[in-house]
Amino acid sequence: MQPRKKLINSSDSCVDEALCGLVRGSGGLSLLKGHRVVIRSDLNSLKGKVALLSGGGSGHEPAHGGYVGAGMLSAAVAGGVFASPPPASILAAILSLHNAGASGVLLIVKNYTGDRLNFGLAAEQARNRGVAADMVIVAEDCAFERPSKAGRRGLCGTIFIHKIAGALAEEGCSLDQMVLKVTEVLKEIGTLGVSLSPCSVPGCLPSFDLPPGDMELGLGIHGEPGIKRSKIASADEVVRTMIDHMTNRDSQSHLPLKSGDSVVVCVNNLGALSSLEMAVVTQAAINSLESRGMVVARVMCGSFMTSLEMAGVSISLMKANQETLRLFGGRGCWFFLLPGPLSPVMHNVLVRVCSTLLEKQEELNSLDRAAGDGDCGNTHSQAAKAIREWLQDHTVPACPGNLLSVLAGLVQEKMGGSSGALYSLFLTAAAGHLTARRSSAAAWADAMLAGTQAMKRYGGADTGDRTMLDALCPAVEELKKLATPPPGGYMAVLQTAAQKAAEGAESTRGLTAKAGRASYIAVERVNLPDPGAVAVAAIFKAVLESLEGQK
């Protein structure tokens, strides 16, 4: 039997090429020279804080390089496919974080012998060099009722620890305190997987045989044997079997849950399930837990820790109190809204924009009273308040497109009127051009252009009609220069774009309104700038000032 085909160049180079692709497609990441280490580019932000380091074999993407960024990992070390990374690379990552000013380094390691040995050796070597380093072992597999001496395996529940430890690090928690708190959380996590097919390491035969129509319960993320094989059943039956096993008190590795407990749920695609199947399994998991009287406080659904192309799913549960939920962040059900390298940048930009719009509320109302109903400032203020409230309870996702989609929904609901519809159109159209892997300056330029075109298409206005487009269009035209690295740098383009927006807003003083309420007002009575255009210019200025302050 021939090895399963994969869309790679070679089995020898696929890990290094994948890491390069991750870094080049994401803002804020870099590779440590000579090592398979993905590290934050803004290392200066780690000064005085505990840095987080994790990693392991490749083939589990997005784990672990995909979780490097503010609020989560500071760096991730990758080994070969399903192979533990070497101690030298782990040590190089630790020393880089230490030299950046981190107060300590916490290693988050899954319970596999190779990982324990190599990360442990690197930690000891780092301590000998004066680095404050400690290690926590994630071992939350619920498969075996009587685990061997090797203990329970570390699986997708590791992602919970990334998030909790990341939040503690951002709050300035010390290394010793963090180890104590994370160790307590580890006792409240359990994971179980089920597979419908094997996977194959590049260049090799499938890792195990699984007859068509069969499934295996409790296997590991490298294809290690599970505990039981059976015929594939319905999603409801499979999920019920998984949760029954995970909470079975006769098992030494069970997760003790009872009616009334709050839980965080992660439904993890092991590699090849369709989005439709994942959504069905997620529904089944929520129903199964709620039927047991548990409170589902948070839900994650997506690919978090895969096993190459294995067709299967794992369910991770974390018993959570109010403090755990506060650290975890978010409300209700969220789908892969994990933070990324751009998350703090986008968060700060939004905070600045909201503050600006709130400050300009009365100015915009005053301008609007001359030609409209005088509520332009109020509507923008409503949007700003809604966004600010959302920021208090949610983590800004790694994917800018996801963020813009969230904002589109907020302004549509809270802003209302034609302004709310126009902004929502702009954000919705722009969102489709931005992903977690495509968020370059050129992608942002494409997104802004798409948003502007959507406003023109559906709103019926254009430049010169005395609307917000008179500020937006010249700014977006300038942003097109981001498609290629400009001579003066990206910030120079943004500065000019903000200036163009301000000039465009001012130019509306002498324009005859052809759209909106102002088009019904006598020309001689309309001699102030259009409030919508002034608001757009203010937004561009706020974005610019925020980015300049984060350089």
Side-chain angles (χ1 to χ4, degrees), residues 412-471:
Q412 180 181 345
E413 179 184 357
K414 302 295 185 180
M415 193 175 191
S418 58
S419 293
L422 286 168
Y423 276 109
S424 188
L425 271 170
F426 178 89
L427 293 165
T428 300
H433 291 262
L434 294 164
T435 67
R437 298 289 174 257
R438 187 175 186 267
S439 56
S440 63
W444 277 98
D446 290 344
M448 297 300 100
L449 180 60
T452 304
Q453 290 173 336
M455 291 176 77
K456 288 182 178 180
R457 184 183 312 120
Y458 297 106
D462 207 336
T463 310
D465 289 346
R466 200 180 188 276
T467 68
M468 65 173 71
L469 289 172
D470 289 300

Side-chain angles (χ1 to χ4, degrees), residues 49-320:
K49 297 180 180 178
V50 174
L52 305 182
L53 176 66
S54 191
S58 297
H60 304 302
E61 290 73 23
H64 293 85
Y67 302 123
V68 176
M72 289 192 71
L73 299 181
S74 310
V77 193
V81 176
F82 291 177
S84 180
S89 291
I90 301 169
L91 178 61
I94 295 173
L95 294 178
S96 293
L97 298 172
H98 172 71
N99 293 336
S103 61
V105 181
L106 177 64
L107 281 63
I108 302 171
V109 181
K110 297 186 297 302
N111 190 31
Y112 292 98
T113 302
D115 287 351
R116 292 183 67 139
L117 290 173
N118 291 341
F119 276 87
L121 174 57
E124 291 298 324
Q125 293 171 334
R127 291 190 194 104
N128 289 341
R129 299 186 184 210
V131 180
D134 209 335
M135 186 165 79
V136 293
I137 305 295
V138 183
E140 92 289 10
D141 182 19
C142 292
F144 298 98
E145 294 184 1
R146 302 290 182 271
S148 67
K149 187 175 181 180
R152 301 161 66 185
R153 298 170 295 201
L155 303 173
C156 190
T158 309
I159 307 304
F160 291 150
I161 300 303
H162 292 344
K163 186 69 184 73
I164 298 295
L168 290 169
E170 288 295 317
E171 293 181 358
C173 186
S174 71
L175 180 59
D176 290 342
Q177 290 174 323
M178 191 180 297
V179 171
L180 286 174
K181 292 183 179 182
V182 166
T183 301
E184 287 302 308
V185 173
L186 279 169
K187 299 173 184 177
E188 310 290 355
I189 298 176
T191 296
L192 188 67
V194 64
S195 179
L196 313 182
S197 79
C199 60
S200 61
V201 172
C204 300
L205 293 169
S207 53
F208 60 94
D209 293 321
L210 190 60
D214 281 8
M215 65 180 190
E216 183 156 354
L217 184 70
L219 76 173
I221 54 174
H222 309 100
E224 308 98 319
I227 54 171
K228 182 175 71 174
R229 285 192 178 183
S230 60
K231 293 298 179 183
I232 296 175
S234 69
D236 286 342
E237 292 177 85
V238 172
V239 169
R240 185 164 52 249
T241 298
M242 294 172 74
I243 295 179
D244 282 345
H245 187 88
M246 294 172 72
T247 57
N248 178 11
R249 296 183 181 275
D250 294 331
S251 169
Q252 291 179 1
S253 61
H254 80 282
L255 179 63
L257 290 175
K258 63 182 184 303
S259 178
D261 285 343
S262 289
V263 292
V264 177
V265 184
C266 177
V267 180
N268 171 56
N269 193 337
L270 288 172
L273 284 194
S274 65
S275 296
L276 185 147
E277 291 167 284
M278 288 296 294
V280 170
V281 172
T282 300
Q283 168 78 350
I286 295 171
N287 287 344
S288 182
L289 291 164
E290 289 181 341
S291 71
R292 290 166 163 82
M294 296 166 201
V295 178
V296 179
R298 306 284 191 276
V299 180
M300 300 161 58
C301 173
S303 298
F304 299 95
M305 187 173 288
T306 60
S307 299
L308 293 171
E309 78 284 9
M310 186 183 290
V313 64
S314 67
I315 296 176
S316 296
L317 303 176
M318 178 171 65
K319 183 178 176 181

